Amino acid sequence: MKIGRTLFWFKDGDEQLNKLTDDFFGLGFLLNRLLNEKYDGKKIKFINIDFFTENTFKLYPILPKEAPYCYNGHLRYYGVFDFHLFESFSYEERYNFVWEKAHKYLIEAAKNNKNPKLIEAVNYAYKKGLELELNPDFRVIDVFIPIDGKEVRASIWILFQKDGMASKFTLQSSENLIFEQVLDKTEKGVEIFLEMYKSIAIENGNIVIKGRKDIASLPVKIPLSKIII
């Protein structure tokens, strides 16, 4: 990936608004994924987009308010937001607010850094995200496997939910869902959860979902006898 990670950060004065930061972990991942679908410019290690209150900038006047900062492969934008107004928004309104601001901020940062390829990628990601209704759920593994002589689409999904993150396994024949199973759940913001699954295979009459060796819940074995096509 040309862009390593994109995160949104929220802060009020000295208080890190960790719940909000975790709430928008999935949206940041969606933005990062869509940017990487288009971006082919110079590598960017991290993109951090800050939503800081006026109180934060009063306490830390050295911070460049409403301005980008780029250094050594890191891109940051120090944005301002009204925490109390933000709290009054609905869940959907918050998502749209952050998405609109992220688009504006990254365009400004790309222009400031003279990076036209980033401008192109930001506009692409913005429009594609709206088409997806800002749904960050995605297939982390997507392959075709043979079951009963048929090629079946096997996928592992990462789901970003209001109360946390979950993973599920699905099998599809054409467009029909023929099997699904929740694999695991965790809290919001756990990055390892996005990278723990490695492969899907058929071994000894089982569908075997493999992943990192340090994850106790893996591998997962699903008997083929449970699958009806």
Side-chain angles (χ1 to χ4, degrees):
M1 293 193 304
K2 284 283 191 172
I3 301 174
R5 185 187 68 178
T6 301
L7 291 173
F8 300 113
W9 301 93
F10 295 79
K11 189 174 183 180
D12 179 22
D14 277 330
E15 181 184 358
Q16 300 286 349
L17 302 175
N18 292 326
K19 185 180 184 307
L20 284 179
T21 295
D22 290 343
D23 283 346
F24 287 90
F25 175 77
L27 193 66
F29 185 83
L30 172 65
L31 178 56
N32 196 82
R33 182 164 59 85
L34 296 179
L35 287 171
N36 276 299
E37 287 182 6
K38 192 71 174 178
Y39 184 66
D40 63 352
K42 186 177 180 181
K43 184 174 177 62
I44 301 173
K45 296 175 183 177
F46 299 109
I47 294 177
N48 293 299
I49 301 176
D50 295 314
F51 290 82
F52 290 170
T53 62
E54 290 284 359
N55 189 36
T56 309
F57 289 98
K58 288 178 182 177
L59 285 175
Y60 302 97
I62 194 173
L63 294 178
K65 180 179 175 182
E66 284 290 313
Y69 176 76
C70 304
Y71 176 74
N72 194 28
H74 294 252
L75 187 157
R76 188 166 209 125
Y77 194 97
Y78 294 92
V80 182
F81 87 121
D82 185 328
F83 177 43
H84 297 295
L85 178 62
F86 192 75
E87 281 191 308
S88 72
F89 291 166
S90 68
Y91 186 85
E92 291 74 18
E93 287 171 336
R94 292 184 182 190
Y95 255 53
N96 280 291
F97 175 87
V98 171
W99 195 252
E100 294 293 331
K101 289 293 186 181
H103 176 246
K104 175 180 179 290
Y105 292 162
L106 289 181
I107 291 294
E108 289 183 19
K111 289 179 178 178
N112 181 74
N113 207 33
K114 296 180 174 60
N115 189 341
K117 291 188 175 181
L118 182 57
I119 293 175
E120 183 181 2
V122 170
N123 284 326
Y124 166 84
Y126 172 74
K127 293 177 183 177
K128 187 70 176 290
L130 293 179
E131 290 173 7
L132 295 172
E133 298 181 341
L134 303 185
N135 181 358
D137 298 348
F138 75 107
R139 289 180 169 97
V140 67
I141 297 179
D142 193 29
V143 297
F144 284 87
I145 58 175
I147 300 179
D148 292 341
K150 299 179 181 179
E151 288 291 305
V152 178
R153 187 179 189 179
S155 306
I156 297 175
W157 294 79
I158 302 296
L159 310 175
F160 297 88
Q161 302 168 332
K162 289 185 179 181
D163 60 348
M165 298 192 297
S167 58
K168 73 174 180 178
F169 172 74
T170 63
L171 289 174
Q172 287 179 276
S173 179
S174 297
E175 294 301 317
N176 299 316
L177 180 67
I178 58 177
F179 180 84
E180 69 176 335
Q181 177 176 314
V182 174
L183 299 175
D184 208 346
K185 294 183 178 182
T186 190
E187 298 176 352
K188 296 177 182 177
V190 180
E191 292 191 48
I192 192 175
F193 197 73
L194 309 179
E195 304 170 349
M196 57 191 263
Y197 298 102
K198 300 300 182 184
S199 66
I200 302 171
I202 295 179
E203 298 178 3
N204 302 319
N206 296 296
I207 297 173
V208 182
I209 298 168
K210 298 180 181 180
R212 292 175 53 127
K213 294 181 179 180
D214 57 341
I215 304 297
S217 60
L218 295 171
V220 174
K221 295 183 180 180
I222 303 171
L224 287 172
S225 58
K226 294 177 63 176
I227 312 301
I228 300 175
I229 298 181

